[in-house]
Amino acid sequence: MTENTDKKDLTHPLEFLEKKQILDKLKKSEERYQNLIENLDTGITRSTPGPDGRYIEVNPYMVSLLGYSKEDLFKSNIFKFHTNTGQADAIYAEIKNKGSIQDKEISLKHKNGSPIVISYTGRAVKDTNGKILYIDDILVDITLKKTSEEEIQKNEKLESIGALAGGIAHNFNNIMTSLFGNISLAKMKIPRNHAAVQHLEKSEESMQDGIKLTRQLLTFAKGGDPIKENINIAAFIKDAAMFNLSGSSIKLNFSSQKDLWQIGADRSQISQVISNIVMNARQSMPAGGQIDIRLTNSDLLKDNLLTISKSNYIKITITDKGSGIRKKNLEKIFDPYFTTRENGSGMGLSICYSIIKKHGGYLSVSSQVGTGTTLTIYLPAISTQTLKDKTLKTI
Ligand SMILES: Nc1ncnc2c1ncn2[C@@H]1O[C@H](COP(=O)(O)OP(=O)(O)OP(=O)(O)O)[C@@H](O)[C@H]1O
Ligand SMILES: [Mg+2]
């Protein structure tokens, strides 16, 4: 028997009880903090410092936020979870210099590739010599907040441009009517074989384009509220897409969920939306290709719509395998007059956006250069029952 063990054996029972109580208290307090961290809806992590940093502690929220298992998070270099290494380098450099970072907006990448906007706070934990031992982080997911802020900004911008466009369109219409009338009068006053007739006819043709543009502007501007009907949206969209692809070598791959919910839609407006989107897809594939159109009942939770609205939507995706859209252009494509095409007016998608908004829906885009583009439309369901109209063909 060693001296130590002898001593232990001699511990007074009361002293032993006291020690046990203190240990129990410590354990309970540790459990409380552990519980707090494990149940927080915020990512809490500790990582080793430097360019080859790795997570050594992560709470369950962090696991669900990034979609990787805890083991995978521990195994991988932290930089893997950043959308770009430049960002990760900058964060580390700032923490090294200043000791901490507060509420910095950064972008991480979920396992499935989708970006997550994070409000990041990090702090260096140093030893007595000032050497960084760990970096402790707090990560708050602000993706939904950011999206709805951007949505509000986009709406406000479109609303003010809409008011302006409405005013211009109204005046423009009056000018067009007067020009049209006067050209007709001029044509009546000269013989049919007069050399000026062809110039007057050319002017009339250009004016037809002007009138078309005015009509588009008026749809985009305030007013033009949709006259909604309960239509067989699947058949309607398929027909509209086929019509816009006629004469091209593009194949339409169409599918629609069987028990698709019913929606209310303005025929002429939704036809404009499909026409604009399909024409864009067609123009992005000048050598031909395929367009996929898919209609499904939307899963609010999966589609991140729960925070925006509690209603049910049908989801329409239109995908092409065309040129794709460069990242810097993606945020501008719904702006009126934004175009990269030589003869484009840049009104197509802003009109689509405005029409879908007026239907109480959402329109979004995702695209990759060289791979293609997907436009996603959500339209609110008026009933979760299937349309039973035998006069319309089912698809
Ligand atoms: N499917 C697509 N593939 C590639 N680029 C696209 C696609 N859809 C839209 N774009 C880009 O978005 C821009 C704006 O599209 P939008 O339909 O609003 O105007 P436009 O096609 O240029 O002109 P128009 O008024 O004649 O439709 C296009 O110029 C193009 O750069
Ligand atoms: Mg277009």
Side-chain angles (χ1 to χ4, degrees), residues 3 11 28 46 80 137 164 183 185 215 290 297 331 369 389-390:
E3 209 185 329
T11 308
K28 276 210 179 98
R46 168 166 282 185
K80 169 177 172 180
D137 315 303
L164 180 72
I183 287 181
L185 282 175
R215 223 178 282 137
Q290 182 179 307
N297 296 329
E331 59 198 40
V369 174
D389 183 347
K390 298 238 166 49

Side-chain angles (χ1 to χ4, degrees), residues 284 320-326 329-330 366-373:
S284 78
D320 64 59
K321 294 186 172 58
S323 55
I325 303 170
R326 291 165 69 183
N329 290 342
L330 258 188
S366 66
S367 183
Q368 214 157 11
V369 174
T371 308
T373 303

Side-chain angles (χ1 to χ4, degrees), residues 192-375:
R192 284 198 66 77
N193 58 356
H194 194 285
V197 168
Q198 56 165 319
H199 299 296
L200 292 174
E201 280 174 351
K202 273 240 147 30
S203 307
E204 275 179 338
E205 275 169 32
S206 301
M207 251 178 304
Q208 291 293 355
D209 290 342
I211 287 169
K212 199 172 133 208
L213 185 63
T214 316
R215 223 178 282 137
Q216 284 191 325
L217 275 173
L218 282 171
T219 317
F220 169 71
K222 275 186 185 298
D225 282 337
I227 302 161
K228 291 187 189 172
E229 288 173 76
N230 187 359
I231 58 171
N232 181 338
I233 190 74
F236 186 77
I237 287 181
K238 189 179 182 190
D239 288 348
M242 300 253 273
F243 178 74
N244 283 283
L245 288 178
S246 53
S248 80
S249 61
I250 294 172
K251 190 177 158 260
L252 175 66
N253 182 15
F254 184 89
S255 72
S256 170
Q257 177 166 349
K258 256 211 185 107
D259 49 354
L260 196 70
W261 295 328
Q262 296 177 49
I263 63 148
D266 182 311
R267 284 169 190 273
S268 109
Q269 292 191 4
I270 295 298
S271 158
Q272 272 193 64
V273 170
I274 302 303
S275 165
N276 278 318
I277 296 178
V278 170
M279 282 314 282
N280 282 348
R282 184 175 167 167
Q283 285 158 351
S284 78
M285 299 187 289
Q290 182 179 307
I291 294 179
D292 294 334
I293 300 188
R294 223 173 109 74
L295 276 78
T296 51
N297 296 329
S298 159
D299 180 336
L300 291 185
L301 193 65
K302 212 168 112 209
D303 292 344
N304 264 343
L305 285 175
L306 257 187
T307 48
I308 310 178
S309 169
K310 296 267 182 292
S311 349
N312 291 304
Y313 292 83
I314 67 156
K315 178 180 180 181
I316 304 158
T317 55
I318 304 176
T319 305
D320 64 59
K321 294 186 172 58
S323 55
I325 303 170
R326 291 165 69 183
K327 212 168 172 198
K328 72 172 176 67
N329 290 342
L330 258 188
E331 59 198 40
K332 298 188 205 141
I333 64 164
F334 297 116
D335 290 356
Y337 302 113
F338 174 78
T339 181
T340 57
R341 305 192 216 282
E342 210 170 305
N343 297 315
S345 74
M347 285 303 289
L349 285 179
S350 48
I351 286 170
C352 295
Y353 188 87
S354 155
I355 290 176
I356 298 299
K357 266 264 97 98
K358 279 178 192 155
H359 274 75
Y362 301 97
L363 175 64
S364 63
V365 64
S366 66
S367 183
Q368 214 157 11
V369 174
T371 308
T373 303
T374 296
L375 269 296

